[in-house]
Amino acid sequence: MQQDRATQSLIDAFFAALELRNLEECATVLAQLQVQANVFPSAYPWFLYFKGVLANECDHDWAEAERIFASLLHLLQTDADLPLHGRVLLALGVTFEHQGRWTEALATYQQSLSAFTQLSQPLDQARAWKNMALCIYMSFTQGDFGQDALHQAISYCRSALDLLVSMSQADVAWLEGTIWNALGLVYGCLGEWDQALASHQRDLEICRSNDDRYGIGIAYLNLGEVYHRRGPAHWPEALESYQHALTIIRKFQNRYLETDVLANLGFLHQDMGEYALALDYYNQAIAIIEELRAGVSSEQARAGFFATTVDTYANAVLLCLKTGHTVQAFDYVERARSRAFLDTLTLRSPDLARTVEAATLTLAQVQARLPDDALLLEYFTTGLLEVRENPATGQTSQRHRFPPAHTLLFAITRDTVEAYDTGLAPDALCPSQVDTLVESHFLEATIRRTLYERLIAPAANVLPGKRRLYLAPHGPLHYIPFQALIAPDGATLLREDGPQIIYGPSATVLFRAIDADQATRMCLVLGYNGSGENRLHFGEEEARSVARLTGGDIITGSNPKKVWLYDRAPQYRLLHFSCHGAFDPENPLASALHLAPNEDLTALDVLNHMHLNCDLVTLSACESGLSRVRRGDELIGLVRAFMYAGAPALVCTLWRVDERSTRILMERFYQEIQAGVDFAEALKRAQLYLRCLTHKQVLEILIHCLTEEILVHAAQPQTASTQRDVLALAQQQAGTYAKSLNQDKISPQGEALSGAADDEQIFADPRYWAPFILIGESRPASAFPP
């Protein structure tokens, strides 16, 4: 694509202004280029490209930038302009990187590198190498990549510098400085302080020679980090460097970098023992964080962006507790964990974004809404890594400002608050594979006793006599079945004389006011058994049972349901899904309920199309409650999607569940609701009922249920003879099922036990009753009269 001289002059002017971070001049050039594109169509792709660059650098609207670059790549598919194609790929990689999507960013940078290599453009190749190194550095600081990747980043920087050796100094000075900057950051992560210091000083020299004030500010920021991490003898130099950086960066009004400098100053003063100053800087950093609004293209990307602020909140919380400011620590905890949830809750209405912070409750507000007979246990984890370090290298990686690993507990009643360090490292609680049987990670009796001792026992003095226990897990604690934890007396937290148990994403979400229209119809039930290896045997049977108990409407079988569900769901107070569900740990928004052949209801579908006025959603499906836990506690999965859609409460499962025990529990649950019992008490009673059933009682229940089902599907009129045949068939099927339960019971010699005694409680094992949890506040019993 040939450019006319005027267009080329504007292109050069934009790049020159961008190198000096003169974003106002960039905007002026962009407006001129838009006019030029009306005359010369060849200028239009460049106009789009620069528009995307400014969406990244000026507006921080990464969703918009991604849309622009994606559309431009599609436009360039039919064009031979490979230089622009490579630049667009490079800019798209930056967009992914801003959103914490490291793997996508690296892959896109690789594509741009291939394009530039094909054209023999060493300057742009060097840019691609540098960006790849910086991407690895950023992912490492967030705990997503391990230290092995840092050595690859050094190699990328060296490759970039080698490419610049033969080029004119005037052409490459600015780029060379940014490469030395990247190299210094990586060396700093590896604790190689001399190399890091030399690299950043070389960058500072280059920026000064080019009168690059913005680059000088960044160089001071990075020099400050090196001096800081070298120890107390260098802290005065660190303080001076940070203060230089803050002055310069504020002049360029980059609020993101300003937050970084303020957080560094807080961390430095904390190390110096000047705690009041440290908290003041943390306060300033968090104030800016909570003012910022960044456009992102997906829930997963938004969570990646939020993770960049996690360390500031965590360090502020830990310092507050260290200095005895428990109330302020809790307020930071709520703000840290609620921001991610509430931001996404209001994404569909930008007008509501301004009220997000107002929706976060303080400790005083939480206590005012907490019933006298209730206890809130809110947890907060810090220092969660998403990778395991490789100790074989013998080298210690350094993450600046990365908080130490703690699992904190706040025990809150209407009148008191106490904070505890449980002594648990959050990484030790993470299942190695979320898509395997999570229950095998936590259901060992010794583990459940230890977890009770660490997570519940610190609040033992305020737990007795409480009718309701609110639990707000954080990080990997979301995987723990708290109701199955074993107290010193040998009983589980779920017990006859124990509290109702209600989970919540945060205190703010638990006690938030729900502003929704009141649905007029009682219950909508969807059931589908599916086909193939994931086929359920009793999903549709359970659906029919729930519909009969509630007098609700039902749709089952292979009929399409999704569009019908979008239209009808807002009319119902109760929604019940009885079908196969699957959690996708790699793409949690693709986690889905299987409604019909080739028809899945994904978490993304729920977010985009469902607007609920219900009181409860029940996801009686495998893995319906699983979410991927990231640093910052942003959980992504079906549960959060339904809460975003308006459901105030959900019943879901933490792991794969047995179909027949689920049928029995759900039937009892809805019987209790129909009797006027609130959701929390209804689930508690249903779980206690299930785990106390004897082998004989289970057979009787199953025979009754199967008899009803067979009679419903009987083609001929019912006679005494056919009823006897039906009863015999039901007894045979119930016996087959009961026998299958025994296959999981293994003798000490490794042999399957032959059978269960009539009085054996065959569902007493927590794998049958513990996966069911209630998330969100329940309605009063009077809301559902018998």
Side-chain angles (χ1 to χ4, degrees):
M1 182 185 298
Q2 298 296 319
Q3 304 294 338
D4 64 282
R5 290 182 179 179
T7 299
Q8 188 61 53
S9 177
L10 290 172
I11 292 171
D12 293 340
F14 187 96
F15 282 127
L18 185 63
E19 285 189 3
L20 296 176
R21 295 294 297 179
N22 189 342
L23 299 182
E24 290 184 3
E25 177 64 19
C26 287
T28 300
V29 174
L30 181 67
Q32 295 172 352
L33 192 59
Q34 184 176 17
V35 174
Q36 188 75 2
N38 293 329
V39 180
F40 297 96
S42 62
Y44 181 69
W46 284 96
F47 163 73
L48 280 184
Y49 167 63
F50 290 145
K51 183 179 179 182
V53 169
L54 287 187
N56 260 342
E57 301 299 325
C58 185
D59 302 329
H60 306 293
D61 190 344
W62 303 316
E64 176 64 14
E66 184 177 344
R67 284 190 291 269
I68 291 171
F69 293 138
S71 66
L72 184 51
L73 286 173
H74 179 73
L75 177 67
L76 293 175
Q77 284 179 350
T78 58
D79 200 286
D81 194 345
L82 284 178
L84 182 56
H85 186 264
R87 288 181 180 273
V88 175
L89 286 169
L90 201 64
L92 181 59
V94 171
T95 307
F96 289 145
E97 192 176 330
H98 280 313
Q99 301 176 75
R101 295 158 65 180
W102 319 118
T103 303
E104 292 171 270
L106 281 173
T108 308
Y109 290 147
Q110 287 277 12
Q111 293 178 49
S112 70
L113 179 63
S114 297
F116 295 138
T117 302
Q118 180 179 344
L119 293 169
S120 299
Q121 293 183 321
L123 195 65
D124 290 321
Q125 288 175 256
R127 287 193 178 96
W129 285 121
K130 179 205 72 173
N131 282 23
M132 290 163 65
L134 281 174
C135 183
I136 290 174
Y137 160 76
M138 288 300 299
S139 66
F140 174 82
T141 62
Q142 294 302 321
D144 295 328
F145 283 10
Q147 71 176 41
D148 289 346
L150 294 176
H151 297 286
Q152 185 65 59
I154 290 175
S155 174
Y156 291 157
C157 289
R158 292 298 180 189
S159 296
L161 290 171
D162 289 344
L163 284 169
L164 302 183
V165 169
S166 60
M167 301 185 67
S168 166
Q169 186 67 26
D171 293 337
V172 303
W174 177 83
L175 178 58
E176 183 185 0
T178 64
I179 296 170
W180 281 111
N181 169 64
L183 194 58
L185 293 172
V186 177
Y187 277 133
C189 287
L190 290 169
E192 299 181 14
W193 306 122
D194 290 341
Q195 294 92 329
L197 191 62
S199 298
H200 289 309
Q201 287 174 336
R202 177 64 181 138
D203 175 33
L204 182 60
E205 291 172 6
I206 293 172
C207 291
R208 282 173 171 164
S209 66
N210 290 334
D211 195 26
D212 178 4
R213 297 295 300 166
Y214 186 77
I216 292 171
I218 294 176
Y220 273 127
L221 170 61
N222 294 327
L223 279 170
E225 289 190 6
V226 175
Y227 287 133
H228 185 173
R229 290 151 71 181
R230 292 193 78 172
H234 297 275
W235 286 349
E237 295 167 285
L239 182 59
E240 183 181 7
S241 295
Y242 285 151
Q243 289 171 339
H244 280 312
L246 185 61
T247 300
I248 294 171
I249 287 169
R250 278 177 168 167
K251 289 181 179 178
F252 285 89
Q253 299 182 337
N254 187 320
R255 302 286 273 170
Y256 290 88
L257 273 181
E258 183 181 351
T259 299
D260 202 30
V261 182
L262 289 169
N264 277 353
L265 281 164
F267 197 54
L268 176 60
H269 283 291
Q270 180 177 337
D271 283 345
M272 295 169 70
E274 299 171 346
Y275 298 144
L277 273 174
L279 280 175
D280 180 62
Y281 279 117
Y282 285 144
N283 284 334
Q284 292 182 55
I286 290 173
I288 296 175
I289 287 170
E290 293 177 352
E291 289 175 5
L292 296 175
R293 290 287 177 268
V296 291
S297 58
S298 69
E299 174 67 6
Q300 185 175 12
R302 195 204 51 71
F305 161 68
F306 181 70
T308 65
T309 71
V310 169
D311 296 345
T312 303
Y313 280 108
N315 286 320
V317 168
L318 292 171
L319 183 56
C320 283
L321 291 178
K322 184 175 184 178
T323 55
H325 295 89
T326 304
V327 173
Q328 188 177 2
F330 176 81
D331 289 344
Y332 277 139
V333 165
E334 259 319 278
R335 288 157 69 180
R337 64 189 296 153
S338 296
R339 172 177 160 143
F341 182 88
L342 293 170
D343 275 358
T344 306
L345 191 64
T346 57
L347 270 180
R348 280 187 260 172
S349 177
D351 292 338
L352 292 178
R354 294 188 299 271
T355 67
V356 169
E357 266 57 56
T360 302
L361 302 181
T362 65
L363 176 63
Q365 291 170 323
V366 169
Q367 289 180 305
R369 302 183 189 194
L370 196 64
D372 288 329
D373 60 353
L375 170 65
L376 167 64
L377 298 183
E378 178 148 351
Y379 300 88
F380 189 69
T381 58
T382 65
L384 175 65
L385 292 171
E386 294 196 8
V387 295
R388 298 287 188 268
E389 296 289 8
N390 180 8
T393 61
Q395 196 164 16
T396 302
S397 57
Q398 306 285 327
R399 287 186 169 91
H400 191 53
R401 296 202 320 262
F402 200 82
H406 291 280
T407 299
L408 307 174
L409 164 61
F410 293 81
I412 301 166
T413 68
R414 192 173 179 87
D415 303 311
T416 65
V417 56
E418 294 291 340
Y420 307 92
D421 188 337
T422 68
L424 291 172
D427 285 297
L429 298 171
C430 286
S432 58
Q433 295 290 331
V434 178
D435 54 342
T436 59
L437 292 178
V438 174
E439 69 270 26
S440 64
H441 192 75
F442 292 115
L443 289 190
E444 179 67 36
T446 55
I447 293 177
R448 289 190 284 139
R449 289 189 181 93
T450 299
L451 290 176
Y452 188 99
E453 178 185 348
R454 298 294 185 90
L455 300 175
I456 304 296
N461 62 318
V462 290
L463 181 58
K466 298 303 183 196
R467 188 180 68 88
R468 180 166 294 176
L469 175 61
Y470 294 101
L471 295 169
H474 191 258
L477 273 68
H478 285 286
Y479 298 131
I480 293 176
F482 281 81
Q483 56 272 22
L485 302 188
I486 301 174
D489 62 3
T492 59
L493 184 60
L494 179 77
R495 58 176 79 192
E496 192 73 43
D497 60 349
Q500 303 167 359
I501 300 173
I502 301 173
Y503 289 72
S506 67
T508 295
V509 175
L510 273 169
F511 302 118
R512 77 192 192 278
I514 301 296
D515 183 17
D517 297 331
Q518 181 65 62
T520 57
R521 308 182 76 168
M522 180 55 71
C523 186
L524 175 62
V525 185
L526 290 88
Y528 177 55
N529 284 337
S531 59
E533 62 180 16
N534 290 325
R535 185 181 186 277
L536 302 178
H537 296 286
F538 313 113
E540 295 178 27
E541 173 190 310
E542 177 191 310
R544 285 187 287 269
S545 174
V546 171
R548 285 196 297 270
L549 284 168
T550 61
D553 298 323
I554 183 172
I555 177 170
T556 61
S558 59
N559 296 320
K561 304 174 181 66
K562 194 154 64 171
V563 175
W564 189 85
L565 176 66
Y566 296 159
D567 180 59
R568 302 290 184 88
Q571 304 173 23
Y572 291 88
R573 301 182 67 181
L574 302 174
L575 294 177
H576 183 97
F577 294 83
S578 181
C579 55
H580 180 70
F583 172 66
D584 186 339
E586 296 303 319
N587 184 14
L589 284 176
S591 301
L593 301 172
H594 303 307
L595 302 183
N598 301 314
E599 184 181 62
D600 291 342
L601 180 71
T602 67
L604 189 60
D605 291 333
V606 175
L607 284 169
N608 287 334
H609 301 293
M610 296 191 72
H611 304 271
L612 303 176
N613 301 311
C614 63
D615 301 304
L616 176 73
V617 172
T618 300
L619 305 179
S620 178
C622 300
E623 304 175 340
S624 59
L626 282 182
S627 296
R628 181 183 177 186
V629 173
R630 296 183 60 87
R631 295 181 64 236
D633 191 52
E634 178 51 18
L635 301 184
I636 309 166
L638 286 164
V639 168
R640 290 300 176 94
F642 275 103
M643 295 195 86
Y644 300 159
L650 295 96
V651 170
C652 57
T653 60
L654 290 174
W655 56 74
R656 297 171 176 86
V657 288
D658 175 82
E659 288 187 69
R660 278 305 186 195
S661 59
T662 299
R663 159 72 189 268
I664 295 172
L665 182 141
M666 286 297 166
E667 190 166 284
R668 186 71 174 199
F669 175 64
Y670 282 101
Q671 287 172 348
E672 297 287 351
I673 291 175
Q674 291 302 105
V677 176
D678 65 32
F679 301 147
E681 182 65 22
L683 182 59
K684 173 187 172 182
R685 293 183 184 183
Q687 289 174 302
L688 290 170
Y689 170 77
L690 178 68
R691 78 180 190 181
C692 291
L693 286 175
T694 65
H695 180 259
K696 182 179 180 180
Q697 290 171 324
V698 170
L699 281 177
E700 291 172 350
I701 293 170
L702 293 181
I703 289 170
H704 174 74
C705 294
L706 289 166
T707 300
E708 279 190 343
E709 281 295 313
I710 295 171
L711 289 175
V712 165
H713 292 285
Q716 65 272 24
Q718 297 176 18
T719 64
S721 175
T722 58
Q723 289 179 358
R724 285 194 298 272
D725 293 341
V726 165
L727 180 60
L729 179 59
Q731 289 173 331
Q732 179 185 1
Q733 292 183 2
T736 300
Y737 171 72
K739 184 179 179 180
S740 71
L741 289 176
N742 295 322
Q743 294 175 357
D744 295 327
K745 302 177 184 294
I746 306 298
S747 72
Q749 291 75 35
E751 299 174 348
L753 299 177
S754 58
D758 283 349
D759 61 351
E760 180 181 350
Q761 295 174 338
I762 61 176
F763 293 135
D765 192 300
R767 65 177 170 159
Y768 293 110
W769 55 266
F772 299 94
I773 61 174
L774 172 67
I775 300 177
E777 180 62 289
S778 61
R779 294 178 62 88
S782 60
F784 290 93

